[in-house]
Amino acid sequence: MSWIDRVRNVLAFTPKKETPDNLWHKCKGCGQMTFMKELEANQHVCPHCDHHDRIGPAERFQYLFDEGSYTVLPSPRVAEDPLKFRDQKPYPARLKAARTSTGEQDAFLNASGTILGRKAVIGVQDFAFMGGSMGQAVGEAFIQGVEAAIAARAPYIAFTASGGARMQEGILSLMQMPRTTVAIEMLHDAGLPYIVVLTDPTSGGVMAAYAMLGDVQIAEPRATLAFTGRRVIENTIREKLPDDFQTSEYYREHGLIDMVTHRKELRATLGQLIGLLCEGKKAA
């Protein structure tokens, strides 16, 4: 046997080392590759271009609440597939797939805890769950979060990320717009603030409802914020829109939101706001 054959035999029986699929992350903003652990340590913000990746409720709660201080509220149960809707797949099949991939019951999750020692209830919309679409479960979870905030005498902070109303629930999804608006009024009647953090992307019926009703409107950098898509508007008015149209920065410049805040500064900003809006009010 030649030395080449001997080497081939050795290589044939040498186990291959498998590389994990999630070891590196390619940034959607600049295309640079980043070590996944480095990205997580940077709160899923690209260290090269500062692009803010989309994150879910678990990461939001971890980054915002004081360590060990928060409790995730159980998701409310609602009637599933009330319209017996079917497109390319039955609606229950789409729900099952989304629950399997995210590990959550639906697209909105609440938690109660403290931010810099101050009580708060946070609701987070998960774009990974059917595009963060607003259905009965999302509306019910939002109302549950408001009720928890009132019971705790704490502000309610909503992180929005959605493509709009969930078409599989038709008019029932659109009914969540007035329902959540009434819930916000309940919060105001209790003398508590409602703070909104707009994240990428927030659009459609959510943008027309609770996403733009905050006492303080914050947005993450370069988030896409819209009611109607850019292409639809351009085709309707037959004009070219500015390049930064429907971004956080455009909204701030035109007075539609109060501030654009980096993800790593959100915790400190929210803690300060709670102190001003709640503790300051008590002192007055």
Side-chain angles (χ1 to χ4, degrees):
M1 181 184 293
S2 68
W3 69 270
I4 295 178
D5 293 328
R6 287 197 296 270
V7 171
R8 283 175 179 169
N9 289 337
V10 171
L11 292 175
F13 289 100
T14 302
K16 294 181 179 179
K17 293 183 179 180
E18 295 185 1
T19 304
D21 294 334
N22 60 347
L23 194 61
W24 294 88
H25 173 81
K26 185 176 181 179
C27 177
K28 294 180 180 178
C30 65
Q32 292 281 342
M33 299 295 288
T34 305
F35 193 46
M36 198 63 192
K37 287 187 178 179
E38 181 184 356
L39 187 70
E40 290 171 354
N42 205 41
Q43 297 192 14
H44 290 266
V45 176
C46 178
H48 306 289
C49 70
D50 227 26
H51 174 77
H52 285 51
D53 265 356
R54 297 169 185 171
I55 57 176
E59 292 85 1
R60 290 284 181 196
F61 298 151
Q62 178 187 344
Y63 298 151
L64 294 168
F65 283 119
D66 299 335
E67 187 175 355
S69 75
Y70 70 92
T71 302
V72 177
L73 305 182
S75 298
R77 297 285 179 173
V78 298
E80 295 187 2
D81 198 17
L83 304 180
K84 307 300 179 187
F85 192 95
R86 182 188 181 97
D87 48 278
Q88 293 177 339
K89 294 180 182 178
Y91 183 33
R94 292 194 181 278
L95 286 174
K96 184 178 179 180
R99 287 167 181 165
T100 301
S101 64
T102 63
E104 302 298 342
Q105 185 68 21
D106 214 282
F108 202 98
L109 197 65
N110 292 296
S112 178
T114 60
I115 301 175
L116 302 181
R118 299 180 173 101
K119 291 190 296 183
V121 178
I122 297 177
V124 178
Q125 206 155 2
D126 190 359
F127 193 79
F129 194 106
M130 296 184 68
S133 51
M134 176 183 60
Q136 292 183 95
V138 167
E140 201 62 40
F142 184 94
I143 294 168
Q144 178 197 58
V146 169
E147 291 174 343
I150 294 172
R153 299 298 304 165
Y156 187 54
I157 305 169
F159 281 75
T160 63
S162 176
R166 189 170 297 175
M167 69 174 188
Q168 289 88 350
E169 296 185 23
I171 188 64
L172 298 175
S173 65
L174 296 178
M175 285 172 62
Q176 307 314 308
M177 296 170 68
R179 292 185 75 228
T180 53
T181 302
V182 171
I184 294 167
E185 286 303 311
M186 290 168 51
L187 194 69
H188 289 157
D189 289 344
L192 297 167
Y194 171 53
I195 301 170
V196 178
V197 182
L198 301 156
T199 73
D200 182 70
T202 299
S203 61
V206 170
M207 193 69 175
Y210 54 85
M212 293 301 290
L213 294 177
D215 299 309
V216 180
Q217 296 283 147
I218 307 171
E220 287 192 330
R222 295 191 292 277
T224 298
L225 312 174
F227 175 68
T228 304
R230 179 191 187 96
R231 185 173 58 185
V232 174
I233 297 174
E234 287 183 335
N235 289 340
T236 302
I237 66 174
R238 301 184 185 282
E239 288 185 19
K240 178 70 175 174
L241 295 170
D243 292 337
D244 64 344
F245 185 69
Q246 295 182 331
T247 63
S248 305
E249 291 72 16
Y250 184 91
Y251 272 56
R252 180 186 58 192
E253 289 172 10
H254 290 79
L256 296 173
I257 61 175
D258 298 299
M259 63 185 86
V260 176
T261 306
H262 195 284
R263 185 172 293 165
K264 289 193 283 188
E265 298 172 0
L266 266 175
R267 185 168 179 266
T269 300
L270 290 172
Q272 184 179 24
L273 278 173
I274 294 169
L276 290 171
L277 296 174
C278 295
E279 295 172 10
K281 186 175 181 179
K282 290 178 184 178

